[in-house]
Amino acid sequence: MGEKVVAGGFELSDRQRYRRKLQQCLEGLERLLEERRFDRPKNLMGLEIELNLAGGDGMPRMMNAEVLERIASRDFQTELGMFNLEVNIVPHRLGGRVFDQLAEELRTGLAYAHRKANEVDAGIVMIGILPTLAQRDLVSANLSDVDRYMLLNDQMVAERGEDFVLDIQGVERLTCTSGSITPEAACTSVQLHLQVTPGRFADVWNAAQAIAPVQVAVGANSPFLFGRELWRESRPPLFQQATDVRPPELQAQGVRPRTWFGERWIDSVKDLFEENLRYFPPLLPICDEEEPLRVLDDGGIPKLQELVLHNGTVYRWNRPVYGIADGVPHLRVENRVLPAGPTVTDVMANAAFYYGLVRALAEDARPVWRRMPFEAADRNFDAACRYGIDAELEWVRPGRTGGITKVPAVKLVRDELLPLAAAGLDAWGIEPADRDHYLGVIEERCRRRVNGASWQVDTYHRALEAGLEREAALAATTRRYAELMHRGEPVHTWPVGFPGRS
């Protein structure tokens, strides 16, 4: 939700006016679809990574404003918490050695940012949830000093009408309350964008939903929160609860949460925007002066600002995005399921696996979403978040007979999905060396049953066994993680534990 908004109150009539503008925007989108005004495919991908700031002691540093001032690059921006940054990579064309090119750009940018952060006793840590974050760190005073974050927090707190409740039962149980949405800032992710035509959008989104659990299983990297060992990928339950503006009564009625996997396969991008308007009240009823239908009547392209802003306050794990580039509208699927890290190589491997697999499945003559109920994908997402690389997932049986069977995620990936991802990367025109290198990282994770989450948990327990108390063990794990992250070798090669200890 990158739009600049001005903090201030809203009058009762603002929501009604905003709702009317949303309907006009939706009608404008429908006209753009009917009139085939959208950009032709350019095979463009985009990448955003949210980052943590931590000191040499492994503890969070609430100083993104100081660090950003020193970095002085438009590629780096604020995020929700004062210990967060975000790096944005300009769109690239899928093909050739794009993953190696992106990896080099990221390494250069992150190394520079890390050096600048070091000047103020901080450093860059690319991880799903910083293990050393404490509940005292995630309070409203540590929200980034940006109007849009303050306003969003105020509106969500008002909508909720009471404290937000975190209750996550994993290996251990965490229960606590928060008077703000700041716990959401603990979740740092990788967002993968893919520009698609309207005619292909539904197939690509459905494919992305089907494989989201697989992405989480092989890429999990967030097993700790507030000193507790929870799910292998704890970001989804945390994000849902930290943004859940429904009081218990509305939850009991089945009102949908704003952080949402979804509930059905779709036939058109319009389905998602319609659901957003139908199910979710506006949080930021800020109206633009544009009259979208008049703009269309005059032959122009409307910005649909209200629709874009509202869409940014509905936190789908695969989000539809409307944008304009060079005066031409386009659509993107924004894949938001992956945690940040552990290394640039791991991020690129996750990206290669996603872009290859989503293309192969979207072009399948017998797509998986025609053969598997959406409820199975939803259950898979929960299982992958809970158990990570050890998850068992429901998937369609090979061959013509069909049906659903349960299979270990690592077996599904190695036997069936990696060959599909390779075929998808070939279809994008990715160089075989890039394809084999990055998909090989995913294969090795599966072969060794190691990802960021499993490494963190195993190393943390080594620290406990060595006699460290819980907080010291988490800090030691974080310091060792940061050290290995900056060396850059993929996580499946990392030694468990600490050098010099048995």
Side-chain angles (χ1 to χ4, degrees):
M1 197 193 76
E3 293 77 13
K4 290 184 178 179
V5 297
V6 179
F10 297 116
E11 297 181 359
L12 294 177
S13 60
D14 289 337
R15 290 184 187 275
Q16 294 173 322
R17 180 169 175 246
Y18 188 80
R19 191 175 289 113
R20 288 194 296 270
K21 282 294 297 285
L22 279 175
Q23 290 298 332
Q24 293 171 21
C25 287
L26 185 62
E27 186 178 338
L29 178 68
E30 291 171 350
R31 281 183 54 179
L32 287 166
L33 291 168
E34 291 167 1
E35 296 169 12
R36 302 180 183 274
R37 303 283 293 277
F38 283 91
D39 199 5
R40 289 171 294 186
K42 292 182 177 176
N43 295 353
L44 287 179
M45 60 166 286
L47 177 67
E48 304 169 52
I49 306 177
E50 295 164 351
L51 306 164
N52 287 279
L53 291 173
D57 56 1
M59 307 305 289
R61 292 288 189 268
M62 305 295 166
M63 53 196 322
N64 60 3
E66 296 95 317
V67 172
L68 283 168
E69 185 177 355
R70 288 174 179 268
I71 293 173
S73 167
R74 294 176 65 182
D75 293 340
F76 288 84
Q77 300 173 357
T78 55
E79 253 300 328
L80 184 64
M82 287 184 175
F83 59 95
N84 297 145
L85 302 177
E86 180 176 88
V87 59
N88 296 283
I89 302 298
V90 296
H92 283 58
R93 191 177 303 279
L94 271 164
R97 301 298 299 270
V98 66
F99 295 114
D100 261 358
Q101 294 163 13
L102 281 168
E104 186 57 32
E105 288 180 33
L106 268 176
R107 288 189 188 100
T108 301
L110 292 177
Y112 173 74
H114 187 60
R115 289 195 303 273
K116 290 298 180 181
N118 285 168
E119 294 175 3
V120 288
D121 191 29
I124 301 294
V125 183
M126 189 164 54
I127 193 169
I129 296 175
L130 195 65
T132 49
L133 280 171
Q135 189 177 354
R136 63 181 177 273
D137 297 317
L138 295 175
V139 294
S140 57
N142 286 334
L143 283 171
S144 291
D145 188 16
V146 177
D147 282 346
R148 68 177 182 271
Y149 299 138
M150 304 291 187
L151 183 56
L152 183 65
N153 178 68
D154 290 347
Q155 293 300 301
M156 295 187 86
V157 168
E159 185 98 354
R160 171 83 183 182
E162 57 191 85
D163 282 350
F164 295 87
V165 176
L166 303 183
D167 187 351
I168 305 173
Q169 175 68 62
V171 177
E172 299 177 294
R173 186 175 184 180
L174 171 70
T175 57
C176 62
T177 61
S178 173
S180 74
I181 64 169
T182 317
E184 177 198 334
C187 307
T188 44
S189 66
V190 171
Q191 290 137 38
L192 301 173
H193 291 253
L194 179 60
Q195 184 177 328
V196 294
T197 60
R200 298 295 293 160
F201 188 96
D203 287 344
V204 171
W205 188 87
N206 288 336
Q209 286 287 97
I211 64 174
V214 183
Q215 291 179 272
V216 170
V218 298
N221 196 28
S222 314
F224 299 108
L225 177 66
F226 297 167
R228 295 290 183 268
E229 182 182 344
L230 301 174
W231 295 11
R232 288 303 185 255
E233 187 50 54
S234 302
R235 286 168 43 257
L238 169 59
F239 205 113
Q240 178 172 326
Q241 294 178 20
T243 61
D244 197 346
V245 296
R246 306 169 301 166
E249 295 81 5
L250 292 185
Q251 294 180 36
Q253 292 173 34
V255 172
R256 295 157 182 84
R258 294 192 87 97
T259 300
W260 197 35
F261 185 74
E263 61 190 17
R264 64 183 178 119
W265 307 117
I266 65 167
D267 298 312
S268 166
V269 63
K270 190 176 70 171
D271 295 348
L272 299 177
F273 285 108
E274 282 182 336
E275 286 183 349
N276 287 356
L277 270 62
R278 185 182 309 128
Y279 299 143
F280 302 105
L283 286 175
L284 301 172
I286 302 167
C287 285
D288 189 72
E289 295 302 315
E290 177 185 77
E291 297 183 40
L293 302 181
R294 178 171 293 181
V295 171
L296 280 166
D297 289 340
D298 293 341
I301 300 298
K303 297 176 183 177
L304 307 183
Q305 288 282 55
E306 291 83 7
L307 191 71
V308 170
L309 180 59
H310 183 60
N311 189 56
T313 65
V314 180
Y315 304 102
R316 295 178 182 271
W317 296 108
N318 284 291
R319 176 188 275 167
V321 177
Y322 171 87
I324 300 175
D326 300 322
V328 182
H330 65 266
L331 296 170
R332 303 194 305 273
V333 174
E334 181 189 18
N335 178 258
R336 302 159 49 83
V337 301
L338 286 166
T343 66
V344 169
T345 298
D346 288 300
V347 169
M348 286 299 103
N350 291 339
F353 185 53
Y354 169 74
Y355 286 114
L357 191 52
V358 80
R359 173 149 186 176
L361 291 184
E363 295 181 350
D364 193 338
R366 299 179 66 236
V368 64
W369 58 92
R370 301 290 184 209
R371 298 182 284 154
M372 184 171 76
F374 190 91
E375 292 75 16
D378 195 12
R379 291 191 295 269
N380 282 346
F381 190 67
D382 184 83
C385 292
R386 288 178 184 272
Y387 305 114
I389 206 153
D390 295 321
E392 288 197 348
L393 305 178
E394 300 174 52
W395 202 255
V396 292
R397 287 192 177 91
R400 308 293 298 183
T401 55
I404 304 295
T405 187
K406 267 200 169 184
V407 60
V410 293
K411 177 176 173 57
L412 175 64
V413 171
R414 294 181 70 189
D415 293 354
E416 189 170 344
L417 300 185
L418 277 173
L420 285 173
L425 293 178
D426 288 343
W428 287 121
I430 300 297
E431 287 285 342
D434 256 25
R435 175 200 67 201
D436 295 343
H437 172 60
Y438 289 109
L439 294 186
V441 171
I442 302 296
E443 183 173 19
E444 281 299 299
R445 276 192 223 153
C446 292
R447 188 177 69 82
R448 303 186 192 193
R449 287 181 175 263
V450 171
N451 60 13
S454 69
W455 183 89
Q456 287 186 58
V457 167
D458 290 347
T459 297
Y460 164 72
H461 283 284
R462 287 278 183 93
L464 292 179
E465 291 163 6
L468 294 183
E469 297 295 328
R470 182 186 293 259
E471 288 189 9
L474 288 168
T477 299
T478 304
R479 292 193 299 272
R480 180 63 170 155
Y481 177 102
E483 175 190 346
L484 294 171
M485 182 206 88
H486 286 291
R487 288 186 191 175
E489 294 300 317
V491 72
H492 69 262
T493 68
W494 291 8
V496 171
F498 306 89
R501 295 175 183 264
S502 58

